[in-house]
Amino acid sequence: MRIAVIGQSLFGQEVYKELRKDGHTIVGVFTVPDKDGKADPLAVEAERDNVAVFKFPRWRLKGQALPEVVAQYKATGAELNVLPFCSQFIPMEVIDHPQHGSIIYHPSLLPRHRGASAINWTLIHGDKKGGFTVFWADDGLDTGPILLQRECDVEANDTVSTIYKRFLFPEGVKGTVDAVRLIAEGKAPRITQPTEGATYECIQKKDNSQIDWNQPAEAVHNWIRGNDKVPGAWATVDGQRVTFFGSSLVASGALPKGQPLEIEGASRPGIVTKAGLMLFGNDGKALLVKNLQMAEGKMVPAGQYFSSGSSAAVELTVEERAFALQMRAVWQSILTNVAEIQDSTDFFKSGAASMDVVRLVEEVKLRAAGCHLQNEDVYMNTSFQEFIQMCVRKLRGEDREEELQVDYVEKEVNNMTVRMPHQLFINGEFVDAEGGKTYKTINPTDGTAICEVSLAQVGDVDRAVAAAKEAFEEGEWGRMNPRDRGRLLYRLADLMEQHQEELATIETMDSGAVYTLALKTHVGMSIQTFRYFAGWCDKIHGSTIPINQARPNRNLTFTKKEPIGVCGIVIPWNYPLMMLAWKTAACLAAGNTVVLKPAQVTPLTAVKFAELAARAGIPKGVINILPGSGSVVGQRLSDHPDVRKLGFTGSTEIGKHIMKSCAVSNVKKVSLELGGKSPLIIFSDCDMDKAVRSGMSSVFFNKGENCIAAGRLFVEDTIHDAFVARVLEEMKKMKVGDPMDRSTDHGPQNHRAHLEKLLEFCRTGVKEGATLLRGGQQVDRPGFFFEPTLFTDVQDHMYIAVEESFGPVMIVSSFKGGDVDEVLRRANATEYGLASGVFTRDISKALYVSEKLNAGTVFVNTYNKTDVAAPFGGFKQSGFGKDLGQDALNEYLKTKAVTIEY
């Protein structure tokens, strides 16, 4: 059939896709106008299929159909209108026009719950059955004849979200398509809706979602879950509006211990417990809510409403002192070499081994059945006093760490819900910037704002450094066994792997990286990096050195590798998560603490990483993440007297400035990975297919935003033209477009300023006389898209031959065969020395060229092949110091020599 789809949302998009799969012709999609420059998902899908899309702001004016709108609709020649989800009022001139009329999806079992908040009211009324109806549209409000209905059980703790995701969305799509199939087969019924049982309820809004406490607990529970998450059921607590989420009914029984909470209008106070906030109906029965949203919008675990975060030592009761006395005797029986167990006695320094840990855990079980220890609890609380305090807190139920509070920005994208923190992360908490400063981070695919992000100020840097210093000097991280540190880094890598699709989606939104590349490289290599350095934690050691010149000769000298302390890390925007991992993993493995500034234009995976690090158990203060400007955050880190090391990846210009600031402030240790203009030499005896593939990858990988990208290709003259022709053919096949699309080769450039820089770079090349064979222009679509570009006839003196483009611009020059030293001279005639490459079948030539190329990395018959175990870094003005491999650890360690005379 010829079908007009009228509606919106992901639900409408799925119905549209399934109708096309079923063989129907979609003659037009009628949806809502773009919001904030972003099209509705239904419109995006239809436009991708070149289906006509109409975005009318309205169909009627003052109750009358707009003639020009109706005329455009009628021109499509639709035989059936399908309204999967539609928020607009559609005039009857449109509803009745097609041969088969119009059908509408409604998420309730009509005639019950007519109106726009049908799912909410299904739950609010406590219906045991829910479902959806596909009905024939008429001039009433959800009153037309029923075509098809399907029902499901409503579970006791269902929310709008859970029942929608479990049944109403997936089965609703299928049901709508089945309804169309019945119409096409001439089997579609028209069942008049009964009048008995018909209800119509108002739209649920914040103003009418206040909780009425004068009703049974089950009714209160239904009200809360029926408004979860939109608009949210609320009550007044301590003079402010508090919204309740995650309600569940509580079986009758003894009330749990907790702190009372007065709630305006409630028949009795609530109880803040470890499990959440217990509330009561007027029947005395209870329900439990898991989360609260405060008046300012911040979500907090309900059980943490009164939490002060205090870590002061607890005063022991008489019974607890008796338990401590028993445990002192147990310690004495294990540590037989210790004359008396003092509060300061350290279990491991006193000679305990791993088997003693197992015994200690079992001894606790025998004496306190309610105290369930893990071996790790002993490793984390090594002195007797710490051990007893930990056990007592567990016995009291106070052992649980304060749950991480995250104010998420949620987005439905890439067929998933991504949850993005957007605040600074300081001392284990997400916090607003000083003065509440924020900025918008932009999606380069369409140029729209993703969300507001906290903008760190100087005071925030100082707080973060102080937290990192305390964690290093006084916290558990500084005294943690290296093997335990490794376990935490492994756990962090595992959590990153569990969230890899979400991380890759955020990376794609924030940086424009093609999703498949983000998943494999940006995120995949980040996970590998943390696992690699987790394995190094307990393998860092010094050496023993014989010394001969000192007298007398009975001397012993050995070295120790020690962490530096607080390290500042400043990373770029081309690989936001991977650059974080390359530096942070080595830094943490060495035992340091970190204050990291992500690039201002790509902060989101860094703050998501902070959340995962906290959930992995990395102690407070060890990792601090500060989105902000280089001139404020980067400068303060360079200047700060308590920062002892700074690792930077970015431009040579900024690297020089950082190096100067670090020298002037306190002679910080510095490692710099800076710009590059990497040469790639292709000899005539190469494997041409491989040279073309790798040559293109050397330039266009990650849309050219790649520090080791081949900034200039030297191709032997006898194969130059053939090579260029092959590259041109391959470039024609490259798909530039939506980076979420799995078939896209090339996404948008990272941000607008960079796009403008690339355009100017290419204009300069043309002015200088280089031949522009392809590209050099912005792609005509929303966002920051730039055409992959190819220049030939590039002379050594030209600007584009000397300066880094940091984009998808291939610069090709020829050289005469037989003069290897001449092409090497040209390749090395640059102030950069980050990477280089050579393609040849002659192994002697390959080894000679790799020896003579003045760069930190040389690729032979390959390119871009980095690995977590291989050191990475440059020469000359490409910087110094190494990321990755064992060498990277040395960037975050200091060597101490100890000499003993005996």
Side-chain angles (χ1 to χ4, degrees), residues 540-657:
I540 298 170
H541 56 78
S543 57
T544 303
I545 304 169
I547 57 173
N548 300 317
Q549 301 305 314
R551 294 290 187 268
N553 285 333
R554 296 172 62 195
N555 298 288
L556 172 66
T557 295
F558 61 89
T559 61
K560 297 177 65 181
K561 298 285 189 179
E562 297 181 346
I564 294 171
V566 179
C567 297
I569 292 176
V570 180
I571 57 173
W573 42 259
N574 57 328
Y575 294 100
L577 185 64
M578 194 172 80
M579 291 296 98
L580 176 153
W582 281 20
K583 295 186 187 301
T584 304
C587 180
L588 295 176
N592 301 286
T593 56
V594 178
V595 180
L596 181 139
K597 189 199 89 67
Q600 188 170 351
V601 292
T602 53
L604 294 180
T605 44
V607 287
K608 184 67 179 180
F609 166 82
E611 177 200 346
L612 298 180
R615 298 197 188 286
I618 303 293
K620 292 182 178 181
V622 173
I623 295 172
N624 304 272
I625 307 292
L626 302 179
S629 69
S631 60
V632 174
V633 180
Q635 186 63 57
R636 181 56 181 155
L637 286 173
S638 300
D639 294 338
H640 203 292
D642 289 331
V643 175
R644 292 295 174 183
K645 159 69 198 269
L646 197 137
F648 172 75
T649 296
S651 72
T652 298
E653 178 186 5
I654 300 300
K656 291 177 178 179
H657 180 81

Side-chain angles (χ1 to χ4, degrees), residues 236 274 466 570 670 760:
T236 301
K274 282 289 183 183
V570 180
V670 179
E760 181 58 30

